[in-house]
Amino acid sequence: MFCVGHGDGYITFAKQADLVTVRLYFDAVSRDIVAGFKIAQQRGWLSPDNRLLVDLRQFTGSVDWGAIRELRALGPWIDDPAIRNVCAYILEPGDMRRLLINVLAALYPVMRHRSFTEETAALTWLTEAAEAPHLSTEDRHLAFHTG
């Protein structure tokens, strides 16, 4: 596990088997978010074999679309439809950032994205999605769902 940032906002990364859990806290700044993902990449944590869980429940910062595009370069396999890329997001009930998942799905169309309000449900879906047959392009666009 490691952390990037400070008390006003930070991001943590933890890896257990093929699951990478990322948690954003308070006003984590884009610079720290990108730096954290670069460290995870250097450690080999960002790979097509790993599932990704992103917890945004305590994140109060803003979305930096430039940083989101910058993160794309850290996973060159992200556009390979032969690879099962899955990412679950945990949000508070009623969180309008669930709409952000639609935008992320458009930026990363081959990856399967889904938002949840409960971590257990997100983990179950990540396991099932990683083991499921590959989705067609049409199914990928329908993969957005809040559970």
Side-chain angles (χ1 to χ4, degrees):
M1 181 175 173
F2 67 92
C3 174
V4 178
H6 50 79
D8 293 338
Y10 55 97
I11 182 170
T12 65
F13 290 78
K15 184 173 184 307
Q16 184 174 14
D18 68 342
L19 175 67
V20 176
T21 302
V22 179
R23 298 185 195 277
L24 288 91
Y25 294 92
F26 314 119
D27 190 16
V29 294
S30 300
R31 172 186 71 250
D32 292 339
I33 294 168
V34 171
F37 274 95
K38 286 181 177 179
I39 292 167
Q41 180 196 39
Q42 291 167 355
R43 291 183 175 193
W45 291 11
L46 299 184
S47 81
D49 299 323
N50 289 333
R51 301 167 295 145
L52 186 61
L53 176 67
V54 180
D55 187 344
L56 297 170
R57 291 176 290 185
Q58 295 187 47
F59 179 60
T60 59
S62 60
V63 176
D64 178 345
W65 295 106
I68 299 271
R69 285 187 292 278
E70 188 176 348
L71 294 177
R72 181 183 189 84
L74 299 179
W77 63 86
I78 203 100
D79 292 320
D80 185 346
I83 296 174
R84 258 180 228 139
N85 293 296
V86 292
C87 183
Y89 304 86
I90 309 173
L91 304 169
E92 289 292 336
D95 190 331
M96 292 305 293
R97 287 179 294 187
R98 71 186 181 331
L99 301 174
L100 168 69
I101 310 310
N102 284 335
V103 176
L104 291 171
L107 289 172
Y108 300 90
V110 176
M111 189 169 201
R112 292 180 65 190
H113 305 264
R114 189 163 170 190
S115 63
F116 297 86
T117 56
E118 296 178 12
E119 188 164 340
T120 305
L123 291 168
T124 298
W125 177 79
L126 281 170
T127 300
E128 292 170 355
E131 295 171 356
H134 293 289
L135 292 177
S136 68
T137 301
E138 290 146 22
D139 288 336
R140 286 182 193 285
H141 293 293
L142 298 174
F144 168 74
H145 180 277
T146 301

